[in-house]
Every structure is written in structure tokens, then in C-alpha cells.
Amino acid sequence: MTPQSSLDPVNPFARKSDLPYGLPPFTRIREEHFLPAFRAGMAAQAAEVAAVVADQRAVSPATVLDPLESSGALLGRVSRVFFNLSAASMTEGLRQIEDEVNPLLTAHRDAITMDAGLFAKISALYADRDAIEDEETRRLLERHHDEMVRSGAALPAADQARLREINAELAQLAATFRENLRADANDLAVHVEDGARLEGLPNDEIAAAKAAAQSRGVRGYLLTLRLPTVQPALTALKDRQVRRGLYLASVTRGRRGNVYDTRPTLTRQAALRAERARLLGFDSHADYAVADQTAKQVDSVMQLLTGLVGPAVENTRRDQAELTARLHADGFEGELQPWDWAYYAEQVAQERFARDSAWLRPYFELDSVLRNGIFAAAEGLYGLHFVRRDDLAGYEEEVDVYEVFSDSGAGLGLVLTDWYTRDAKRGGAWMSSFADQSRLLGQAPVIVINLNLSHPPTGAPTLLTLDEVRTAFHEFGHVLHGLLSDVRYPALSGTEVPRDCVEFPSQVNEMWAWQPELLRRYAVHHETGKPLPESALDSVISAQSYGQGFATVEMLGACLLDQAWHQLRADQPPITPEQVEEFEWQVLARHGLDLPAVAPRYGSTYFEHIFGGGYSAGYYSYLWSEVLDADTEEWFLRQGGLNRRSGQKFRDELLSRGGGVDPMAAVEKVLGRPPRLEPLLERRGLLPVE
Ligand SMILES: [Zn+2]
């Protein structure tokens, strides 16, 4: 009897869904199905791994790697649905399940990665790895071996026991961080009684603020908070006091000394990560985290980051002088404040580039951006076709399901689109999956893309800002990485590449948003059907390079905070919750980034990527990937822009290969030479002014 048989067969997770591509049967899934499926799934995988260990046959990829990669099917089904829902549609019930299941999952994973019998088999195979000819198989073996070593498989039992405790506590702390941040952000939504004080904000955002207030039973308007420090509404709000209030609400998240304060959580996380790194033989968590990345060394990361500070700050100071003059011209005295920057920068951008979002937005209607922009680019480059399947249900009414076909008419997989913000949804934008492509498992990809767009008023179209357009193209780049995956092993599928390369394909996909030939197709007025005027087209494109000094400083602040928290050593006294603010200022000052008017993109207390998600010591990845991205963008343009030939090359060498190849080698194959830094400097306006 297998443990899996203990799961009630009416539980929708009990077997693979018979919907197309194994789409989860969302309409049949109830909260009470999760815990039994999790328990049965962990038991089943434990039994499957035990069978691999007990197997008497000689070690080979077929007797070790294949069964290992095939294990945990039930656990995979339930986990993917559960964690996608907990990110996008959280409920009190799911929250309780998450609290209960997280420690179990951590212990379960630890038991596998620290299994002595399994490690012996992997090590035996690893010792003879040069005999394996297939590159993907060899890389999978190296990945499993490194992962087990990095998880403590080679440590003495006492250290392993401590490691398990640390991992369990860290899993709990990350969940606490996310939960407290979400609660504090909801609590800090800015209440504005008088609609006149929202002057400057586009009508649909005013309507969204009104709807947000109504949904919480308060009068007037409620400005809800987005994840980054600088809230999008700061570009538009004319009333300086409202701007100030919104900004202060944003930066106060998680540091008000209330029950949602995230400082005790994050300082404990930093200390535990340092301790874990020391157990595993690393100087710091950053050293540990970077070792299996393409950067390999903390020094390489710091070299990239600190090398950008000088040019970025210089560029920012030039902009600051100009923006301060505008503040004074508006009758205010004194310094430009952080809540002023986005507002006056937007004015400059509007004048210089005719970037008036109020009249631009009707040209960026979601459906056209999607079909004539994002989908059209994927068709032009990779020959993909997207067909909406109204017969297939997503996990929310407003989630759409698309079937994707290749040129030949073969079905490739599914894409679920979840565009809108909900109180129960976490902030930001992301791609995730309900199933990963794998030839071994005969599985096609089922991918989901999430944004946090405001709901338009009933019956009105969804109009995007340029930033939202960029984000949609970006996340769709991750979608394509998952969708075009063509590998044997699920552990190497699609976005399963070193983290510091994972942003590369998504950043490359952003470039298509601003290609004139595509803009002419998708930027069409939703009422008149007229394309964006040619003059505006040029401005939209050149506006993309304005404000890069600010954006780089903001980004570097976040990267360096992340590095500082994770370069702490276990033998140093830990940072206390009371010292968080001082620690942040010291880090920024040390690197010359203590500019009063420009805060880091995320403050520590609401830095969800590193304390609530998987980017600890890895936020630099965005800039690291961008080096590759800027160079590749140049390559695409030299190849004549949007065409099937260059798309096919990029797909064959890179997108389809997932973690099955060395990413740097794959980039070199596309470019025909190693990547260079100059295209990034040029794009970000950081080359010296001549
Ligand atoms: Zn991304």
C-alpha cells in the first residue's frame, strides 16, 4: 500500500487533473482539500525517495536521477495551487493552513536534502560525472549534489539538527514578515476625505480610491499602498500635503512599533541566515547565496554595484537641481523632499517628452496592449498564437485562461492572466506556474502572470500607465521563459536558472514595448481607434531614458541594503530591532547613497523580496541580468528588430534550455562574444557627459 492511497479519491489533488494540460480543477478545490493532500503528498514523496535509496541496482542517471525527478507529483500539484492562491487570493483559512504546513514542508525538504543514503548515491554518481555525456543530465547531477551539500548533507548530525531548526524558524519568519507587511500596508492606506485634494490623479485612479474606501466602509477616498517606496500616485498628486502623507505611509510600513512591526522578524532572519552560513562553511549569507550563482563571488557583485554609484549620483544631482527650481517656482521654499521628486520629474518628462499620462493613457488599453503588443511580439519572434479558452476556469472570476500554439499548430501550454489588485493579493507583479514543462514527465507548462492594476469603474476599459505597460512586458518575458522551455528534467525547466540570470529574459522582453513598429500596432486610442500620434511615439520612446539616475540610485540603495544585511557575520553582535534605522543610514552613507531626497526602492521593513521571498542577498540580480539584457537588446536591434530568425536563435540557445546549460555560455552563443558593460551604462545615461 502506498501512502498516497490514504488520500480520499474525491480529493481533487488525488490524481493528475484531466483538464487540458493538467490545469488544476479550481471549481472543485475547497480549502479542506489542502492539508490532507499536503500530508499524503509528503508521505508519498518520502516513500519514493526511500525506494531510490533502497534500490540495489548500480547507480546511474536512470536509477537515481529519473526517479528522483519523478517523485513528489502529488505534493507538487497541491503546493503549486496552494502557494499561487496564498499569493493571489489569500483567505483566513489559507493563512491558517500556511502556518500549519510551512514547518512541515521545510522539515520534509530537509529530510530529503540531508538524507545520508541519498547523498551517498548522488556522491557516487557525482564522482564519475565526467562520464555523463549529456550536458543537461550532468548539470542536473551537479545541481542535486551542490544543493545537498549546501543543505548540510555533508555535515555532522549535531550541525544538521541545528540547521533543521534554523530552516524551520526561517520559513516561519518569512511567512510572518509577509503577513505583517500586508496587514500594515492595508492599515496605512491613506484616507482622503475631500476629493478636491486628489487633484492631478487620473479619473480612474480616483474612482479606484473611492471604491477602495467603499469596500472598507469609510467615506471619501483611500489611497492603497504599492510595494516600492515611491508610490505611483506621487507622480500625479498636486497637493503637497497629500503627497507627503502618502510617502510617509509608504516608508513607515513595518516600523511603527505596533503588532505588525517587521523589525523583530527581519533582524532575527539576518542573524539566523548568518548562523546558517557559518555552519555551512561560509563567511556570510551573502557568500553562501552568491556561490552557486553566475556571479560566484560577493566581490564581483560589490564591484558592479559600487562602480555604478558615482555616475548614478552625479546624474541624479543634475536632475535634483532642476527639480528644486520647479519646487521653488511653485512657491515653496527649502529643499526638494522625497515626496516631491516623482511629481516634478513627471512634469519635466511631460514637457520635454510630451509625456502627459492623462492624455496618453487612453492609448494603452489593456486588451490592445496584450493582443497587439505582448502577444504580437511573441508571435513575431517565436511564432506563438494565443487563443482564449472561456471554457476553462481560473481560480478567480477575473482570471482568464489562454491556450498557446506554436507555428505548426501544436499546443504548447496554458497561460493564466491575473491583472488586477485585490486586498487578498500581495503587492508587485510576478510570474509563477501551476505545472512546469518536462519531457521526462510528459508535462506541458501551465503559467500564471500577475499584476496589480487598479480595477477600472464598471464598464470602463483598463488603461495602463507606461510603467504598467513595461511591467506587463517584463512579466511576460518570464512567462515565455517557462512556456518555451524544452528540457527533460522538471528541476531545470524554464526559469529554473541561477537567480542572478532569471531576470535576463524578462528584461529583454521589455524592449519590445518601445519598438516603434509594435507601438504603432498596440498603442491605439480605445475610443477613436486612432494610433498614437507619431510625435508622441518618439517622446514615449525617448522618455524611457529620462530619470535613469534616480532609478539607478534607488535600485543601488536597495541592492546595497540587501548585501549589507546578508554580509553580516555570525561572530558579529546581531543588529537589534531598535538599530534597524541607524544600520540603514550607515550602509547608505558608507556608499555615498545617503541622499535625503532619494530613498532606496525598498526600505528594510518592507523589502518583501529579501525578507518575505527568495531574493535574500540576490536583489543585485536585477542589475546583473541587466548587463546581459542591455547587450542582448543591442544584438536584437542589429539583427533588424522583431523577426522570427533572431527570435528562433534566442529561443534555441537560451529560452528553451532553462537550467540545462550554463547561462553565460548560452548568452555568448547568442551574441557571438562575451557580454560587455557599456550598453548598460549607455542605456542608464551613466556614461560621462562629453
Ligand atoms: Zn522579473
Side-chain angles (χ1 to χ4, degrees):
M1 188 186 96
T2 66
Q4 196 163 341
S5 64
S6 63
L7 184 60
D8 188 338
V10 306
N11 188 305
F13 297 111
R15 56 191 177 83
K16 186 174 172 178
S17 154
D18 46 22
L19 291 172
Y21 303 92
L23 177 73
F26 294 114
T27 53
R28 285 172 42 218
I29 295 171
R30 306 273 171 273
E31 284 181 1
E32 64 264 27
H33 295 137
F34 285 112
L35 267 180
F38 268 120
R39 289 215 178 86
M42 286 185 268
Q45 190 176 30
E48 287 158 346
V49 171
V52 175
V53 175
D55 193 333
Q56 296 297 315
R57 290 174 293 169
V59 294
S60 74
T63 60
V64 180
L65 297 180
D66 285 7
L68 206 53
E69 286 287 286
S70 310
S71 74
L74 168 59
L75 184 58
R77 284 197 294 275
V78 62
S79 299
R80 288 202 180 85
V81 171
F82 181 81
F83 288 107
N84 275 307
L85 290 187
S86 83
S89 294
M90 190 56 133
T91 64
E92 192 44 46
L94 292 183
R95 210 184 317 273
Q96 283 169 13
I97 296 169
E98 188 167 29
D99 283 347
E100 190 167 344
V101 89
N102 265 335
L104 300 177
L105 282 174
T106 306
H108 170 72
R109 278 193 288 266
D110 283 354
I112 294 175
T113 50
M114 291 188 215
D115 186 303
L118 185 62
F119 186 56
K121 291 210 163 196
I122 293 278
S123 296
L125 209 49
Y126 184 79
D128 212 14
R129 65 189 178 284
D130 292 339
I132 299 174
E133 276 178 24
D134 175 53
E135 187 185 3
E136 190 188 327
T137 307
R138 203 169 53 243
R139 287 186 64 86
L140 178 76
L141 173 60
E142 287 165 1
R143 166 108 40 127
H144 277 303
H145 178 264
D146 290 357
E147 200 175 289
M148 292 189 84
V149 171
R150 292 167 59 79
S151 306
L155 290 183
D159 287 352
Q160 283 189 348
R162 177 62 191 138
L163 210 54
R164 284 196 184 86
E165 283 172 15
I166 294 176
N167 289 343
E169 192 177 344
L170 280 173
Q172 203 50 56
L173 289 167
T176 304
F177 184 93
R178 287 192 299 270
E179 202 35 59
N180 284 350
L181 174 55
R182 178 159 37 205
D184 209 32
N186 280 341
D187 194 44
L188 275 163
V190 174
H191 184 216
V192 178
E193 196 95 36
D194 176 7
R197 301 196 65 194
L198 297 181
E199 188 186 346
L201 214 55
N203 285 337
D204 58 337
E205 280 182 42
I206 293 177
K210 186 163 190 165
Q214 275 168 353
S215 81
R216 297 209 208 155
V218 290
R219 291 196 334 189
Y221 306 83
L222 213 50
L223 299 171
T224 53
L225 294 176
R226 308 298 166 88
L227 210 49
T229 300
V230 174
Q231 300 295 308
L234 289 176
T235 59
L237 285 165
K238 200 166 180 214
D239 188 318
R240 198 178 187 207
Q241 282 310 310
V242 178
R243 285 206 307 270
R244 179 173 181 274
L246 183 60
Y247 181 84
L248 292 179
S250 176
V251 294
T252 332
R253 279 174 290 176
R255 58 181 89 201
R256 293 191 293 162
N258 60 11
V259 289
Y260 305 134
D261 198 312
T262 57
R263 287 173 297 183
T265 313
L266 75 92
T267 46
R268 178 80 182 142
Q269 285 173 291
L272 283 173
R273 286 168 177 167
E275 185 190 344
R276 182 173 61 184
R278 184 177 55 182
L279 273 176
L280 291 165
F282 291 90
D283 284 347
S284 70
H285 178 72
D287 288 282
Y288 166 76
V290 172
D292 67 344
Q293 300 295 305
T294 58
K296 292 193 174 70
Q297 308 267 349
V298 167
D299 280 353
S300 312
V301 173
M302 293 306 284
Q303 217 175 340
L304 173 69
L305 299 179
T306 53
L308 291 172
V309 169
V313 168
E314 193 185 323
N315 181 317
T316 306
R317 288 204 199 284
R318 281 199 298 271
D319 286 346
Q320 179 160 0
E322 184 181 9
L323 303 182
T324 305
R326 283 174 183 265
L327 174 77
H328 294 169
D330 266 359
F332 295 105
E333 287 174 7
E335 299 286 320
L336 187 78
Q337 297 296 329
W339 46 89
D340 298 321
W341 194 294
Y343 178 73
Y344 289 106
E346 179 68 11
Q347 279 192 0
V348 173
Q350 283 181 18
E351 282 173 28
R352 201 168 299 162
F353 309 107
R355 192 174 81 181
D356 183 349
S357 39
W359 71 265
L360 262 184
R361 285 183 71 179
Y363 289 95
F364 294 94
E365 189 264 318
L366 176 62
D367 203 51
S368 180
V369 171
L370 183 64
R371 286 171 193 282
N372 307 320
I374 292 171
F375 288 171
E379 186 180 347
L381 290 161
Y382 312 114
L384 303 183
H385 304 276
F386 297 80
V387 177
R388 200 163 96 183
R389 291 282 306 257
D390 289 330
D391 57 319
L392 298 177
Y395 51 89
E396 292 276 349
E397 189 73 36
E398 62 190 17
V399 172
D400 290 327
V401 182
Y402 291 85
E403 185 171 6
V404 188
F405 296 93
S406 71
D407 261 352
S408 64
L412 266 184
L414 297 177
V415 176
L416 283 69
T417 57
D418 186 352
W419 303 118
Y420 297 103
T421 192
R422 297 184 287 274
D423 274 359
K425 187 172 178 177
R426 72 174 168 86
W430 68 94
M431 162 273 199
S432 174
S433 69
F434 287 100
D436 293 332
Q437 180 275 335
S438 158
R439 287 200 301 274
L440 176 70
L441 307 181
Q443 178 63 54
V446 178
I447 313 279
V448 57
I449 176 171
N450 268 281
L451 261 62
N452 260 291
L453 304 175
S454 300
H455 278 107
T458 317
T462 303
L463 306 178
L464 308 190
T465 64
L466 294 182
D467 202 45
E468 288 166 342
V469 170
R470 181 208 313 280
T471 303
F473 273 86
H474 174 97
E475 294 308 328
F476 207 79
H478 290 305
V479 170
L480 290 166
H481 204 185
L483 204 54
L484 296 174
S485 176
D486 184 14
V487 298
R488 176 173 161 80
Y489 300 111
L492 301 176
S493 187
T495 54
E496 292 291 333
V497 296
R499 190 180 48 188
D500 62 4
C501 275
V502 78
E503 294 303 326
F504 165 50
S506 50
Q507 289 173 343
V508 167
N509 204 55
E510 287 179 33
M511 73 177 280
W512 306 114
W514 320 119
Q515 293 312 300
E517 51 175 311
L518 203 65
L519 262 171
R520 284 190 193 100
R521 282 173 69 182
Y522 82 80
V524 171
H525 196 286
H526 73 96
E527 277 168 338
T528 65
K530 290 206 170 113
L532 191 66
E534 284 293 315
S535 58
L537 196 94
D538 293 341
S539 330
V540 164
I541 295 167
S542 42
Q544 299 310 314
S545 56
Y546 176 72
Q548 285 299 313
F550 177 90
T552 310
V553 166
E554 190 191 49
M555 186 75 185
L556 288 171
C559 290
L560 287 163
L561 278 182
D562 173 31
Q563 283 300 316
W565 279 114
H566 296 116
Q567 285 175 19
L568 293 172
R569 300 167 59 108
D571 52 16
Q572 289 174 294
I575 307 293
T576 65
E578 296 71 35
Q579 292 169 330
V580 167
E581 233 129 307
E582 193 195 333
F583 178 80
E584 289 177 318
W585 272 107
Q586 280 176 358
V587 170
L588 297 175
R590 193 187 318 144
H591 294 290
L593 283 170
D594 48 344
L595 312 179
V598 190
R601 187 166 166 79
Y602 304 97
S604 306
T605 54
Y606 51 94
F607 205 158
E608 177 157 313
H609 294 74
I610 65 166
F611 292 119
Y615 267 77
S616 58
Y619 199 68
Y620 78 91
S621 303
Y622 287 92
L623 282 169
W624 192 265
S625 296
E626 200 184 329
V627 175
L628 307 181
D629 156 42
D631 210 349
T632 305
E633 177 168 341
E634 252 193 30
W635 174 82
F636 264 117
L637 294 176
R638 275 201 312 275
Q639 307 298 312
L642 198 80
N643 63 66
R644 283 285 277 122
R645 193 173 28 81
S646 31
Q648 194 66 39
K649 173 122 181 133
F650 193 59
R651 175 179 179 172
D652 288 346
E653 299 291 0
L654 208 127
L655 290 179
S656 65
R657 309 297 289 277
V661 291
D662 169 30
M664 284 310 205
V667 174
E668 283 197 38
K669 274 191 178 161
V670 174
L671 300 177
R673 54 160 176 75
R676 299 173 310 136
L677 186 63
E678 284 71 22
L680 171 77
L681 296 176
E682 191 182 334
R683 168 200 289 187
R684 287 193 167 251
L686 305 181
L687 287 174
V689 186
E690 312 234 334

